[in-house]
Amino acid sequence: MSEKLDGVRGYWDGKQMFTRGGVQLSPPTYFLEKFPPFAIDGELFSQRDQFADISSIVRAYQDKGWHKLKLYVFDVPDAEGNLFARLAQLKTYLAQNPSDYIEIIEQIPIESPQHIQQFLHQVEQLKGEGIVIRNPNAPYERKRSSQILKLKTALDEE
């Protein structure tokens, strides 16, 4: 499980960045400088409770603050193995090519149903949106997956 970040979905295909809907984004060169030559999927995010600011930065045609953002990666689509092995490929790449604008979202192994509830409560106390529960052995899917569950106590459009 991991925290669900309330940002803008960012999919890097190894050359360009897109939103979940396939709209090409135009991050500045400095932002993409150390991005890997392979696909990574994540959330463009700065801090909790800043969705409007994040969205305006990402959708602007000029650089309105990309330096405030990072791509928080939750999967490496074309890598082999389970979720942890896929993320390890990116970790290895970043060890040789550190980037100030890429961070791997910590994936926490679930110990019990109570552990899930405690983590959700902790995230919500910090004004986070909720959590994501994933089957770590499921392959990456380029669509909504039945192997991923978003868990939050507040009802919204999702």
Side-chain angles (χ1 to χ4, degrees):
M1 65 185 164
S2 63
E3 180 174 350
K4 183 189 182 310
L5 303 177
D6 192 17
V8 174
R9 181 78 169 266
Y11 182 88
W12 171 253
D13 71 357
K15 295 181 181 161
Q16 299 175 336
M17 186 171 291
F18 301 89
T19 66
R20 174 180 25 218
V23 175
Q24 185 174 342
L25 298 174
S26 300
T29 304
Y30 70 83
F31 189 86
L32 300 174
E33 192 172 49
K34 299 278 182 105
F35 270 51
F38 53 85
I40 53 178
D41 197 358
E43 195 82 2
L44 291 161
F45 183 76
S46 59
Q47 61 186 29
R48 296 179 185 102
D49 207 23
Q50 295 295 312
F51 177 77
D53 187 42
I54 296 164
S55 183
S56 69
I57 291 168
V58 168
R59 297 183 195 292
Y61 291 104
Q62 297 175 332
D63 185 358
K64 303 278 187 179
W66 277 87
H67 67 278
K68 298 178 191 175
L69 305 180
K70 288 184 182 185
L71 181 64
Y72 287 81
V73 177
F74 51 73
D75 214 329
V76 180
D78 300 321
E80 298 291 320
N82 70 14
L83 175 63
F84 297 105
R86 294 192 303 266
L87 289 172
Q89 178 180 333
L90 177 59
K91 187 175 183 179
T92 299
Y93 173 85
L94 292 173
Q96 299 297 316
N97 305 277
S99 170
D100 292 336
Y101 303 108
I102 299 174
E103 188 159 324
I104 298 171
I105 298 174
E106 180 184 10
Q107 300 296 321
I108 303 165
I110 297 170
E111 298 169 6
S112 68
Q114 295 79 17
H115 187 210
I116 295 170
Q117 291 302 320
Q118 288 169 347
F119 184 58
L120 175 61
H121 180 72
Q122 175 187 353
V123 166
E124 290 178 339
Q125 288 292 107
L126 296 170
K127 299 199 184 308
E129 184 181 8
I131 64 175
V132 177
I133 300 169
R134 304 178 65 169
N135 174 354
N137 295 313
Y140 178 85
E141 296 183 67
R142 298 185 194 286
K143 60 183 173 88
R144 294 211 185 254
S145 172
S146 63
Q147 301 297 307
I148 301 172
L149 175 66
K150 296 175 186 174
L151 184 60
K152 46 191 169 181
T153 55
L155 291 175
D156 63 15
E157 292 180 12
E158 287 190 285

